[in-house]
Amino acid sequence: MTQRNDPTSGASPRYGRRPTMKDVAHRAGVGLKTVSRVVNGEPGVLPDTEQRVREAITALGFRRNDSARTLRKGRTATVGLVLEDLADPFYGPLSRAVEEAARGHGALLLAGSSDEDPVREQELTLALCARRVDGLVIVPASDDHRYLEPEIAAGVATVFVDRPAGLLDADTVLTDNLAGAKEATAHLIAHGHRRIGFVGDQPQIHTTTERLRGYREAMAAADLPVRAEWTALGTTDPGRVEHALRAMLAGPDPVTALFTGNNRVTATAARLLAGHPRPTALVGFDDLELGELLDPPLTVVAQDAALLGRTAAELLFNRLAGGAAAPRRVVLPAGLIPRGSGELPPHS
Amino acid sequence: MTQRNDPTSGASPRYGRRPTMKDVAHRAGVGLKTVSRVVNGEPGVLPDTEQRVREAITALGFRRNDSARTLRKGRTATVGLVLEDLADPFYGPLSRAVEEAARGHGALLLAGSSDEDPVREQELTLALCARRVDGLVIVPASDDHRYLEPEIAAGVATVFVDRPAGLLDADTVLTDNLAGAKEATAHLIAHGHRRIGFVGDQPQIHTTTERLRGYREAMAAADLPVRAEWTALGTTDPGRVEHALRAMLAGPDPVTALFTGNNRVTATAARLLAGHPRPTALVGFDDLELGELLDPPLTVVAQDAALLGRTAAELLFNRLAGGAAAPRRVVLPAGLIPRGSGELPPHS
DNA sequence: CCTCTTGCAGACAACGTTGTCTAGCCGTGA
DNA sequence: TCACGGCTAGACAACGTTGTCTGCAAGAGG
């Protein structure tokens, strides 16, 4: 005896099979379409009839199957979100902002982490497309997004956040990483530092290279050389970062200040410097909770992750509503928040 | 001229209408079912037929519509996640753990925030049910989940995390908040404190009351009275928390130590105490990033949010696979991490 | 030569909903 | 009395996929 076709159970709700509009219609003694009308609040149903239908609905525990609805209507009221890591606190406010915007438009959020892996990004994104999300918000991990062309052509509103799309012209929301990194580096220079290290995330990440460029330009603008051993890029694995930091802080000519390229690196650097004998100035990209309570208080270049998400969602829903304008690119500012850790004087 | 039925465009891909298996079949000169077989890697297709189908697929930019598939198969390969706030760093690792488990089973994650609002929780959860998620992971905000009975009866695997379900017997994963809170309070008592304040989240939240209970029991076990003005429950809004804290720290008989009931409250307390003239001991429930770098280093009762999520997902997929065993309840430990802020001696 | 088996492929219904179209009923006005 | 319009309600097809069943051709065995 299968669960789904138990002939003994009649019209009452059977375990494992959900009641459908047909069941409700049968029980209420009305037509299928009338149930649909009641469920969707459409006019043209007498109060009486509606009452009977509602009773049948609650009696059976009916709930509309939105998969079927979706199939029929062509819109899923779902937004896909692809980012690096759901667990990274930086993306929390971003996700939440996208979620809020989605909710405002009656949509839900399908989210996933790429783990900075291009293959995983593509698999995930295409899985979202297969589910026919109405729109996509992507923090890209790959540098070639041509695989999305058919999807975009088919009407999937797509917005890239935090990093630009690769080989594709699409709506994009970025932070001004270059300016932020320049400001951070200039801040350290202004406080007398000449040997400044930069420890960043992996080099294929756009934000990493922009921040590195900002660092380099600020150094160049102050006529300061940048030695090869002063820059280290790689994963944000604490072990890797610690190793890189120790290398810069050791030797006869150690750096006297550090500019760290994202929140993970900054956290590791703060931990290491706290136990380091020589006071070393530090400016981080991205703010950290409680950063202002460290000793010295942490100076950072802060971006507004929630605003990033909100703006992306705005572009997305604009596109869904408006049609096919030219892709837009929005650049949001990042601002230095001087708190002290960037103002330590260079040690000899 | 409508977009969807443009008669001039024939079988080539039209903007806004996605190619279907039918289109692919037509173009490849095969039957519909053959395309289905190729797409799903089913056997029984000759290599060159398959080749023709694959060519048609790439030429048209076909991607299977999983909504339709879902409708036909009855499983959506989707897990719903309802929590308090996607932006709260506490839930980041939890979400990620659920996502990972889902991915391991080929499922995606539909996530949303309840904002601690029972109505919103219910709306969100039922919206997920309408989309026919295979399972639900819920951090409940309400105390009555009977509205989920029909869903669970219909086969939606449901797991409650961090807090128990209300008026419903279901799989649950909890932290041992009582023991954790006792340990925290006892730690403060052991370091000489007699007037200890508890500042917690809203009183309708299970974790809040359990932690409050732990605090009370530890105080009672040490024969210490608990004055009404030493406990304050409410939203985690920093203004509210600061107000409550100031009240406890003022007056002729201020508390000499604080036990804060969750990460948000602890962060606010740490900020306030940093600027407070009188050193005051602090133990927080939930760890905070960089807490070990504060001055004094932050002592906390830590729970493993990722483990919470992983365990919940495990229960969920067990239930999906296994069938209808009795609901299970798993309680995970919370452990004190003494770092210093709980060892400050009481000031007179 | 006929039958049987095997492998490939298509026709068709079904999943649960919504849009369109039509039928019946009532009351109104010529 | 008849035609007509407005209102309620149902029949039916369609959304895009998959499961079942059947058909055809080629090869094996008698």
Side-chain angles (χ1 to χ4, degrees):
Chain A
M1 149 181 148
T2 73
Q3 213 171 16
R4 313 216 21 167
N5 295 316
D6 177 356
T8 65
S9 48
S12 64
R14 314 163 223 184
Y15 181 81
R17 183 199 181 276
R18 308 206 49 142
T20 70
M21 286 193 178
K22 206 159 138 188
D23 300 322
V24 175
H26 187 74
R27 169 151 187 149
V30 302
L32 176 56
K33 181 66 214 211
T34 300
V35 178
S36 172
R37 277 192 264 260
V38 170
V39 168
N40 294 295
E42 290 170 22
V45 181
L46 286 182
D48 235 30
T49 314
E50 174 169 348
Q51 186 55 27
R52 286 212 316 284
V53 171
R54 291 212 181 280
E55 280 168 17
I57 287 179
T58 53
L60 295 175
F62 167 80
R63 185 165 321 285
R64 181 179 64 199
N65 184 331
D66 278 354
S67 285
R69 174 169 226 250
T70 271
L71 177 60
R72 186 63 237 253
K73 304 206 83 149
R75 282 261 161 130
T76 54
T78 307
V79 172
L81 174 65
V82 178
L83 38 69
E84 183 192 340
D85 181 5
L86 267 179
D88 186 329
F90 174 73
Y91 294 107
L94 193 154
S95 309
R96 181 64 200 265
V98 175
E99 184 210 345
E100 283 306 313
R103 181 195 309 271
H105 289 82
L108 291 178
L109 193 66
L110 259 177
S113 308
S114 72
D115 253 345
E116 214 60 85
D117 175 351
V119 175
R120 203 159 144 167
E121 175 210 285
Q122 178 167 347
E123 284 173 1
L124 187 52
T125 307
L126 290 181
L128 295 172
C129 288
R131 282 158 196 250
R132 296 295 185 266
V133 293
D134 296 334
L136 279 169
V137 174
I138 304 178
V139 177
S142 92
D143 55 1
D144 182 355
H145 293 94
R146 283 173 299 179
Y147 70 88
L148 276 172
E149 276 170 357
E151 310 299 328
I152 293 174
V156 181
T158 305
V159 182
F160 290 81
V161 204
D162 192 47
R163 314 167 188 174
L167 309 178
L168 191 70
D169 196 21
D171 286 331
T172 310
V173 184
L174 301 174
T175 293
D176 192 343
N177 292 289
L178 180 66
K182 273 177 160 168
E183 195 178 356
T185 312
H187 179 76
L188 291 168
I189 296 171
H191 285 86
H193 294 277
R194 295 294 171 264
R195 303 196 302 276
I196 303 173
F198 174 76
V199 184
D201 205 339
Q202 302 176 72
Q204 76 274 17
I205 303 175
H206 175 259
T207 53
T208 301
T209 56
E210 283 295 286
R211 292 168 194 176
L212 175 59
R213 196 155 68 88
Y215 158 79
R216 288 218 161 102
E217 289 189 9
M219 293 293 274
D223 275 329
L224 294 174
V226 172
R227 290 205 213 139
E229 65 266 30
W230 292 349
T231 72
L233 308 184
T235 70
T236 57
D237 167 65
R240 201 281 307 177
V241 171
E242 197 176 319
H243 184 79
L245 288 168
R246 285 196 192 284
M248 287 183 197
L249 294 169
D253 240 21
V255 299
T256 63
L258 286 167
F259 172 37
T260 45
N262 76 13
N263 61 343
R264 313 283 74 208
V265 177
T266 306
T268 302
R271 286 193 186 97
L272 188 140
L273 289 183
H276 195 71
R278 218 171 17 233
T280 300
L282 173 64
V283 176
F285 210 110
D286 296 334
D287 204 356
L288 290 176
E289 173 151 47
L290 301 186
E292 80 271 28
L293 299 186
L294 300 192
D295 178 28
L298 186 65
T299 293
V300 296
V301 177
Q303 46 180 332
D304 186 339
L307 180 60
L308 222 46
R310 205 155 49 238
T311 309
E314 212 169 278
L315 289 184
L316 191 155
F317 285 104
N318 272 349
R319 187 157 292 274
L320 275 180
R328 290 212 281 156
R329 165 180 289 230
V330 179
V331 178
L332 301 174
L336 186 79
I337 304 182
R339 294 194 185 116
S341 73
E343 295 168 26
L344 297 184
H347 48 74
S348 61
Chain B
M1 147 181 149
T2 74
Q3 212 172 17
R4 313 212 25 164
N5 295 315
D6 177 357
T8 65
S9 49
S12 65
R14 315 165 222 180
Y15 181 81
R17 183 199 180 277
R18 308 203 52 140
T20 71
M21 286 193 177
K22 207 159 138 188
D23 300 322
V24 174
H26 187 77
R27 170 149 185 152
V30 302
L32 176 55
K33 181 67 215 210
T34 300
V35 178
S36 172
R37 277 192 264 261
V38 170
V39 168
N40 294 296
E42 290 169 22
V45 181
L46 285 182
D48 56 325
T49 311
E50 173 170 348
Q51 185 56 28
R52 286 213 315 286
V53 171
R54 292 210 180 282
E55 281 168 16
I57 286 177
T58 53
L60 295 176
F62 167 80
R63 184 164 324 282
R64 182 179 64 198
N65 183 333
D66 278 353
S67 287
R69 173 168 226 252
T70 272
L71 178 62
R72 186 62 234 252
K73 304 206 84 149
R75 282 263 159 128
T76 54
T78 308
V79 172
L81 174 65
V82 178
L83 39 69
E84 182 193 340
D85 181 5
L86 268 179
D88 186 329
F90 174 74
Y91 294 107
L94 193 155
S95 310
R96 180 64 199 265
V98 176
E99 184 210 345
E100 281 308 314
R103 182 197 308 271
H105 290 81
L108 291 179
L109 192 67
L110 259 176
S113 308
S114 72
D115 253 346
E116 215 60 84
D117 174 351
V119 175
R120 203 157 144 168
E121 176 211 286
Q122 178 168 348
E123 285 173 0
L124 187 52
T125 306
L126 290 181
L128 295 171
C129 289
R131 279 156 197 253
R132 295 295 184 267
V133 293
D134 296 335
L136 278 170
V137 174
I138 304 180
V139 177
S142 92
D143 54 2
D144 183 355
H145 294 93
R146 284 174 299 181
Y147 70 87
L148 276 173
E149 277 169 357
E151 309 300 329
I152 293 175
V156 181
T158 305
V159 183
F160 290 81
V161 205
D162 191 47
R163 313 167 188 176
L167 309 178
L168 191 73
D169 196 23
D171 286 331
T172 311
V173 184
L174 301 175
T175 292
D176 193 344
N177 293 288
L178 180 67
K182 272 176 160 171
E183 194 177 357
T185 311
H187 180 74
L188 291 168
I189 295 172
H191 286 85
H193 293 277
R194 296 294 172 261
R195 301 195 304 276
I196 302 172
F198 175 75
V199 184
D201 206 339
Q202 303 176 69
Q204 75 274 20
I205 303 175
H206 174 260
T207 52
T208 301
T209 58
E210 283 295 286
R211 292 168 194 176
L212 174 59
R213 196 153 70 87
Y215 158 78
R216 287 219 160 103
E217 290 190 10
M219 293 293 273
D223 276 327
L224 294 175
V226 173
R227 290 204 214 141
E229 65 265 30
W230 291 350
T231 73
L233 308 184
T235 70
T236 57
D237 166 65
R240 203 280 308 177
V241 171
E242 198 177 319
H243 183 79
L245 288 168
R246 286 197 191 285
M248 288 184 198
L249 294 169
D253 241 23
V255 300
T256 64
L258 285 168
F259 173 36
T260 45
N262 77 13
N263 62 341
R264 312 284 76 209
V265 176
T266 307
T268 302
R271 286 193 186 98
L272 187 139
L273 290 182
H276 195 71
R278 216 168 19 231
T280 299
L282 173 65
V283 176
F285 211 111
D286 297 333
D287 204 356
L288 290 176
E289 173 150 48
L290 301 187
E292 79 271 26
L293 298 187
L294 301 193
D295 178 26
L298 186 65
T299 293
V300 296
V301 177
Q303 47 180 333
D304 187 338
L307 180 59
L308 223 45
R310 204 155 50 237
T311 309
E314 215 169 275
L315 289 184
L316 191 154
F317 284 105
N318 273 348
R319 187 157 291 275
L320 275 180
R328 290 212 282 156
R329 166 180 289 232
V330 179
V331 177
L332 301 175
L336 187 79
I337 304 181
R339 294 193 185 116
S341 73
E343 296 167 28
L344 296 185
H347 47 75
S348 59

